[in-house]
């Protein structure tokens, strides 16, 4: 790196970091550094390459509004297409010139004297920036389960987030731990290859039917030639996702029957795939739809009816060098252990690096000692010139792009005003932050998180204190509108 002085340092080269860079470019900031600990861009879509990976939100919605891709091969595109889309965006918006890979950020500290962020890299180098953007995502710290004996396992361990493409599963006796969105995609694929598969499920997940449309070359040509046709599909998928999330989750108090209908669709989906009542019971969630991230699959349930697939729900006692011993004493001898055990959202994340603001305020510590909070899910008092993307109350809708583009709107209004006033620093006021937090808590009172039966869901959407501060519990539409009219007096500028 030749210079150490930047307009902005962005931590994370995924879709969030790239969105922030595009917004900053539009606003006239061109001296940027986008840092990422991985060896290429794309964030989660670079890291995740496990078999069966597809996006589980319609691709028309799971993409930037301003950069439609007519060439998705399916409504739910395979992971590799998302990685290619990320590369296309980086090239088209000329973002690669800012990117530095294999660059681990240790921490960032606001320096009052220079009115700059000092960003420290592993290895000791310090970069200075007027603005700091944390774009590390909610799901960036893979979690290894703390099951007794896991390190003694003598066979092969495959991590969903660190897949070994060269390892052949053919004919293996495998076990998988984890039945979240990742497990639901992996399990049917594993079952096709291995001789024998045992699935260790702790908590069943809501699995909904998937409208798995393929977009052939003809459809792609139509989308490319007449963009309005794809816009129409996008509007439909956007509206469907937004309606379902808002009605089934955030308006649970007023519209509980919508949540019940969603649950009934899930039950029918199970019923049609599985005739065995006991197997169906084991795969049935005992918590309300929407407490935990639901997912989509037309093949997951059917996989459990295959003779080479076994479902274990009694819990794991320990792992031995040659297999897994259940709490009931049953041992399954396996040579391959697949971990689809998700992410640490709360301990080593939020924030993913140490961030120290004015008056020595430590962001992670402050969030934990007080409440998780961020104004409009983006800015925090005593953290001038800092934007944090995967923050409390930032997550809007089910597509990460909704969150990123909502935040890009916030940036345009905020930085536009900063420039209009000829100012160089902004900071959200304590009062605005407190008002926003109150509003989020009030809205959450109507949600499935508060009123539903979520106790047994083990959902990462809740923290250890039983709070659920990740989502902004509103429609995407309402979040977008808020970015266009938040009071500019909510910020001090100097
Ligand atoms: P997850 O939803 O957190 O699921 C982790 C699974 O591992 C759960 O079934 C969990 O059981 C289990 N587990 C963890 N520790 C365990 C232990 N010690 N013993 C037994 N089981 C254990 O993680 P994920 O499946 O990776 O999905 C995370 C998120 O990534 C999703 O919610 C979604 O937002 C995103 N995602 C998106 C896509 C996509 O769009 N293509 C695909 C995959 C993931 P419990 O439930 O009992 O804790």
């Amino acid at each position: 790196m030749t210079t150490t002085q930047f307009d902005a340092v962005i931590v994370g080269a995924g879709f969030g970091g790239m969105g922030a860079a595009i917004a900053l470019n539009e606003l006239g900031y061109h001296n940027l550094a986008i840092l990422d600990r991985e060896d290429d861009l794309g964030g989660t879509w670079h890291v995740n390459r496990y078999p069966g990976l597809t996006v589980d939100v319609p691709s028309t919605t799971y993409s930037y509004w301003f950069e439609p891709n007519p060439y998705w091969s399916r409504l739910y595109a395979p992971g590799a297409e998302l990685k290619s889309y990320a590369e296309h965006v980086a090239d088209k918006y000329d973002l690669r010139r800012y990117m530095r890979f294999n660059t681990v950020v240790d921490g960032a500290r606001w320096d009052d004297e220079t009115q700059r962020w000092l960003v420290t890299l592993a290895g000791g180098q310090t970069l200075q920036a007027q603005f700091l953007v944390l774009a590390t995502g909610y799901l960036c710290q893979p979690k290894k389960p703390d099951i007794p004996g896991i390190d003694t396992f003598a066979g092969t361990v495959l991590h969903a987030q660190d897949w070994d493409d060269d390892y052949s599963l053919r004919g293996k006796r495998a076990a998988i731990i984890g039945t979240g969105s990742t497990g639901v995609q992996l399990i049917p694929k594993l079952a096709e290859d291995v001789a024998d598969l045992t699935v260790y499920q702790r908590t069943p997940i809501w699995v909904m039917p998937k409208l798995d449309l393929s977009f052939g070359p003809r459809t792609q040509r139509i989308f490319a030639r007449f963009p309005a046709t794809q816009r129409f599909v996008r509007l439909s998928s956007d509206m469907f996702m937004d309606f379902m999330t808002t009605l089934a989750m955030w308006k649970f108090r007023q519209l509980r029957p919508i949540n019940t209908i969603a649950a009934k669709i899930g039950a029918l989906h199970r019923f049609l795939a599985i005739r065995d009542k006991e197997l169906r019971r084991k795969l049935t969630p005992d918590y309300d739809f929407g407490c935990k991230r639901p997912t989509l699959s037309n093949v997951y349930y059917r996989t459990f009816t295959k003779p080479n697939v076994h479902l274990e729900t009694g819990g794991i006692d320990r792992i031995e060098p040659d297999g897994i011993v259940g709490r009931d004493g049953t041992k399954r001898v396996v040579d391959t252990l697949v971990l689809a055990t998700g992410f640490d959202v709360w301990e080593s994340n939020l924030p993913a690096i140490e961030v120290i603001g004015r008056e020595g305020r430590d962001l992670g510590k402050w969030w934990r000692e007080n409440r998780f909070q961020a104004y409009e899910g983006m800015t925090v008092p005593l953290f001038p010139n800092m934007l944090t993307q995967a923050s409390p109350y930032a997550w809007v809708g089910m597509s990460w792009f909704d969150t990123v583009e909502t935040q890009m709107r916030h940036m345009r209004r905020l930085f536009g005003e900063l420039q209009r006033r000829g100012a160089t620093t902004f900071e959200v006021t304590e009062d605005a932050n407190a008002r926003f937090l109150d509003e989020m808590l009030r809205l959450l009172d109507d949600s499935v998180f508060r009123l539903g039966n979520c106790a047994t869901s083990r959902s990462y959407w809740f923290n250890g204190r039983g709070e659920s501060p990740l989502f902004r519990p509103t429609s995407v539409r309402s979040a977008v509108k808020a970015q266009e009219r938040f009071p500019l007096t909510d910020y001090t500028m100097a």
Side-chain angles (χ1 to χ4, degrees):
M1 200 169 292
T2 48
T3 175
T4 56
Q5 310 268 344
F6 296 94
D7 293 338
V9 164
I10 299 170
V11 188
F15 285 117
M18 292 201 289
I22 292 168
L24 285 165
N25 273 182
E26 282 168 13
L27 287 154
Y29 303 101
H30 294 282
N31 179 19
L32 310 180
I34 305 177
L35 313 176
D36 202 296
R37 67 184 180 194
E38 301 300 334
D39 59 3
D40 201 358
L41 60 88
T44 196
W45 299 103
H46 172 60
V47 173
N48 281 281
R49 296 181 320 275
Y50 60 79
L53 174 66
T54 67
V55 63
D56 65 1
V57 170
S59 313
T60 40
T61 291
Y62 195 89
S63 43
Y64 297 112
W65 172 265
F66 58 85
E67 190 53 43
N69 172 19
Y71 301 109
W72 300 122
S73 66
R74 313 191 70 80
L75 184 58
Y76 296 92
E81 290 184 28
L82 269 298
K83 167 75 177 163
S84 304
Y85 176 67
E87 285 169 353
H88 159 78
V89 170
D91 290 335
K92 178 161 175 186
Y93 293 85
D94 200 8
L95 303 178
R96 284 186 200 264
R97 63 193 156 136
Y98 304 133
M99 292 181 181
R100 303 285 180 272
F101 299 113
N102 302 307
T103 303
V104 175
V105 178
D106 273 350
R109 172 181 291 274
W110 174 255
D111 182 40
D112 247 341
E113 212 173 290
T114 56
Q115 300 279 289
R116 289 279 183 281
W117 280 97
L118 305 180
V119 181
T120 315
L121 310 184
Q125 195 183 16
T126 299
L127 312 182
Q128 287 191 33
Q130 185 180 358
F131 304 110
L132 173 67
V133 183
L134 302 177
T136 46
Y138 288 110
L139 305 165
C140 68
Q141 314 284 31
K143 192 169 74 182
K144 186 176 159 194
D146 52 354
I147 299 169
I150 192 160
D151 291 326
T152 67
F153 184 66
T156 301
V157 180
L158 294 171
H159 296 261
Q161 283 82 39
D162 187 17
W163 199 258
D164 179 355
D165 302 307
D166 297 329
Y167 183 74
S168 168
L169 288 152
R170 197 146 294 277
K172 295 288 190 315
R173 292 169 68 87
I176 178 167
I177 303 176
T179 55
S181 306
T182 302
V184 167
Q185 296 190 339
L186 250 172
I187 288 163
K189 279 286 171 198
L190 295 177
E192 283 173 13
D193 276 354
V194 299
D196 193 81
L197 178 68
T198 304
V199 177
Y200 285 88
Q201 169 194 275
R202 190 163 63 182
T203 312
I205 181 172
W206 282 99
V207 182
M208 308 301 277
K210 185 172 178 181
L211 186 62
D212 197 10
L213 300 176
S214 97
F215 295 146
R218 204 158 147 247
T219 311
Q220 292 175 5
R221 273 199 304 276
I222 293 172
F223 283 167
R225 187 118 189 259
F226 307 104
T229 54
Q230 196 184 19
R231 283 285 190 233
F232 176 74
V233 178
R234 172 160 194 157
L235 279 173
S236 316
S237 60
D238 280 6
M239 272 168 66
F240 177 74
M241 297 295 296
D242 202 17
F243 269 36
M244 278 315 288
T245 313
T246 309
L247 303 185
M249 291 172 66
W250 311 140
K251 296 288 177 198
F252 187 78
R253 183 190 298 279
Q254 300 86 346
L255 297 164
R256 196 179 185 133
I258 304 281
N259 184 290
T260 310
I261 290 169
K264 287 217 156 92
I265 294 170
L268 180 64
H269 188 46
R270 265 191 313 278
F271 178 78
L272 293 175
I274 301 174
R275 308 315 307 161
D276 178 340
K277 226 172 160 181
E278 179 56 11
L279 179 59
R280 220 163 49 223
R281 187 191 61 74
K282 287 182 175 173
L283 290 163
T284 301
D286 65 352
Y287 54 89
D288 280 331
F289 178 85
C291 295
K292 184 179 189 133
R293 172 73 147 66
T295 192
L296 308 171
S297 174
N298 295 338
V299 288
Y300 178 68
Y301 285 137
R302 260 190 285 129
T303 301
F304 290 94
T305 64
K306 289 188 167 185
N308 67 330
V309 179
H310 323 283
L311 176 65
E312 288 285 353
T313 57
I316 299 172
D317 182 66
R318 62 186 183 280
I319 295 180
E320 295 186 345
D322 61 344
I324 301 181
V325 182
R327 289 222 186 91
D328 61 359
T330 321
K331 178 167 174 178
R332 295 263 178 193
V333 174
V334 295
D335 49 41
T336 307
L337 174 60
V338 179
L339 297 179
T341 43
F343 301 85
D344 173 17
V345 176
W346 297 105
E347 295 303 317
S348 54
N349 211 26
L350 285 180
I353 56 167
E354 184 185 69
V355 185
I356 311 288
R358 279 200 307 115
E359 300 175 14
R361 179 178 280 181
D362 178 322
L363 184 60
K365 228 167 137 197
W366 185 69
W367 272 342
R368 280 159 185 80
E369 285 171 2
N370 296 274
R371 294 186 89 116
F372 283 92
Q373 51 196 290
Y375 174 73
E376 294 291 343
M378 260 209 120
T379 52
V380 185
L382 295 197
F383 292 85
N385 288 9
M386 183 192 81
L387 303 162
T388 150
Q389 284 191 332
S391 340
Y393 304 106
W395 196 333
V396 187
M398 283 294 140
S399 163
W400 178 235
F401 287 86
D402 288 331
T403 304
V404 173
E405 290 193 59
T406 301
Q407 298 192 338
M408 288 170 76
R409 284 170 194 268
H410 191 92
M411 288 172 73
R412 286 186 199 111
R413 181 161 162 86
L414 172 61
F415 284 78
E417 178 64 7
L418 193 75
Q419 293 174 351
R420 198 186 62 77
R421 290 199 207 169
T424 53
T425 59
F426 65 80
E427 184 179 322
V428 68
T429 66
E430 296 272 10
D431 179 56
N433 178 60
R435 247 188 300 115
F436 181 77
L437 176 62
D438 283 351
E439 172 70 357
M440 294 299 107
L441 295 174
R442 189 186 65 73
L443 290 169
L444 273 173
D445 281 343
D446 289 343
S447 73
V448 67
F449 291 167
R450 285 277 194 289
L451 301 172
N453 163 27
C454 291
T456 53
S457 65
R458 276 184 173 272
S459 168
Y460 71 80
W461 287 346
F462 290 83
N463 65 17
R465 290 199 239 165
E467 300 161 338
S468 45
L470 299 185
F471 280 95
R472 178 188 189 110
T474 71
S475 66
V476 177
R477 230 173 100 79
S478 131
V480 163
K481 272 199 199 150
Q483 307 323 310
E484 271 148 21
R485 55 178 187 222
F486 65 85
L488 291 164
T489 48
D490 283 354
Y491 284 95
T492 56
M493 296 186 185

